[in-house]
Amino acid sequence: MKPIAKLFAASSIIIVFQFGCAQISASECNNFITANGDKLFNGDKEFRFISYNIPNLHYVEDNMDFEQTIPFRFPDEFEIRDAILSVKQSGGQVIRIYTLSVRRQDDPPKMPRHVLAPGQFNEEGFIALDKCLQIANEYGVRLIIPFVDNWKWWGGRGDYAAFRGKKTDAFWSDPEIIQDFQNTINFVINRKNTFTGVAYKDDKAILAWETGNELTCPPDWSRNISAHIKSIDANHLVIDGLHSSVLRKHSIEDPNVDLVTTHHYQKNA
């Protein structure tokens, strides 16, 4: 059984990631974060953190100006810089963003999304993500980037399936849909940042890729996607995005999974 280099807990409203609260003094991201045994390392120093989830760092979901009919838009540099600097000033070292948005069948014509169709991507949206990474590097704050949502709010796995005229759960097993999703992963990991010229797979400000947000995936899917990520990016950690309040054995034992999470919600009264 592989040692658990993998423990990291998430509470869900703020989504707080815990490895402790030691702070990194460097103003730049000089090393990839690595896993060894049950610890994370920044170079030869153990990397421990408590920090924040900012779902709309790269994609604003509540743009409610009086004349605005669509609440979604991509953020500007001021908004991105303000958010990342606020985390830095509060002692945070890591930000988990939300997933890449996916076009839904019921979207109005001008709805901005990251994934528009199989193999089709919105450059404006990825320029905003480029800016997030540029500024994260400036302030020495790491990003966790989940690839896909289990849920429908920003578009997710059900919409990948809908692109091919199939039902939501086909996302876990249909070879064509899995290939579509892997093509998105390929596009993101191999993308070259328009501001820094650095490919995402070589960007030290990325702490980890997460297979998705609160996924209800079978073990085979997790193994497949985690292995695919590692096959094209050996620099970054991989998080199993399974939605669970307990850890799953196959995730702990998977050699391509470095971090595991649990999500906890306060029960309704």
Side-chain angles (χ1 to χ4, degrees):
M1 180 172 177
K2 186 182 175 186
I4 304 175
K6 302 181 173 180
L7 280 185
F8 158 31
S11 134
S12 66
I13 302 296
I14 247 186
I15 300 189
V16 177
F17 294 90
Q18 298 190 57
F19 261 104
C21 56
Q23 296 184 12
I24 302 297
S25 59
S27 61
E28 297 179 357
C29 300
N30 295 315
N31 305 296
F32 293 106
I33 299 301
T34 58
N36 186 4
D38 61 355
K39 294 180 173 63
L40 297 182
F41 288 86
N42 178 9
D44 60 357
K45 295 182 178 179
E46 186 177 353
F47 185 69
R48 298 163 62 85
F49 66 92
I50 296 176
S51 203
Y52 300 92
N53 182 59
I54 304 182
N56 61 353
L57 183 69
H58 65 306
Y59 186 55
V60 176
E61 64 178 353
D62 53 1
N63 184 43
M64 303 302 290
D65 296 344
F66 184 75
E67 296 180 351
Q68 184 69 32
T69 59
I70 296 174
F72 293 92
R73 64 171 173 81
F74 299 114
D76 60 32
E77 180 173 350
F78 173 82
E79 293 169 310
I80 296 169
R81 188 173 295 277
D82 182 61
I84 295 177
L85 181 57
S86 295
V87 169
K88 178 71 173 181
Q89 290 175 333
S90 70
Q93 301 168 59
V94 179
I95 294 170
R96 180 184 183 263
I97 68 172
Y98 205 51
T99 60
L100 302 175
S101 58
V102 183
R103 175 162 287 171
R104 295 170 49 173
Q105 290 181 325
D106 59 354
D107 278 348
K110 295 184 179 181
M111 176 70 78
R113 299 294 194 195
H114 292 87
V115 181
L116 304 177
Q120 297 181 29
F121 307 101
N122 185 339
E123 182 64 10
E124 182 185 3
F126 283 95
I127 287 174
L129 187 54
D130 291 347
K131 181 59 68 174
C132 292
L133 286 167
Q134 177 201 348
I135 296 170
N137 272 285
E138 290 179 21
Y139 293 136
V141 174
R142 314 279 179 159
L143 299 187
I144 293 169
I145 303 177
F147 282 111
V148 67
D149 200 3
N150 194 66
W151 315 116
K152 65 181 182 179
W153 316 116
W154 287 16
R157 65 182 180 93
D159 301 285
Y160 275 95
F163 287 149
R164 298 298 185 180
K166 297 174 182 176
K167 294 183 178 180
T168 298
D169 283 345
F171 182 81
W172 305 130
S173 59
D174 185 274
E176 184 177 37
I177 300 171
I178 290 173
Q179 185 62 60
D180 289 343
F181 181 54
Q182 288 179 338
N183 288 343
T184 295
I185 293 172
N186 296 346
F187 172 82
V188 175
I189 289 178
N190 291 313
R191 179 178 175 81
K192 183 178 287 189
N193 191 307
T194 55
F195 300 105
T196 66
V198 176
Y200 282 27
K201 63 186 175 184
D202 298 321
D203 195 323
K204 297 181 178 67
I206 298 173
L207 185 146
W209 304 112
E210 188 172 6
T211 55
N213 177 64
E214 297 191 337
L215 302 177
T216 54
C217 51
D220 287 348
W221 185 92
S222 291
R223 292 189 191 98
N224 179 15
I225 297 304
S226 298
H228 181 75
I229 294 170
K230 287 289 191 179
S231 74
I232 56 176
D233 181 1
N235 290 324
H236 290 105
L237 304 174
V238 171
I239 301 172
D240 182 4
L242 176 71
H243 182 32
S244 178
S245 59
V246 297
L247 299 178
R248 189 161 61 172
K249 182 179 179 182
H250 90 82
S251 301
I252 296 172
E253 295 178 342
D254 189 336
N256 295 305
V257 171
D258 302 293
L259 297 163
V260 291
T261 69
T262 56
H263 286 207
H264 305 273
Y265 290 91
Q266 183 177 3
K267 295 185 182 297
N268 295 330

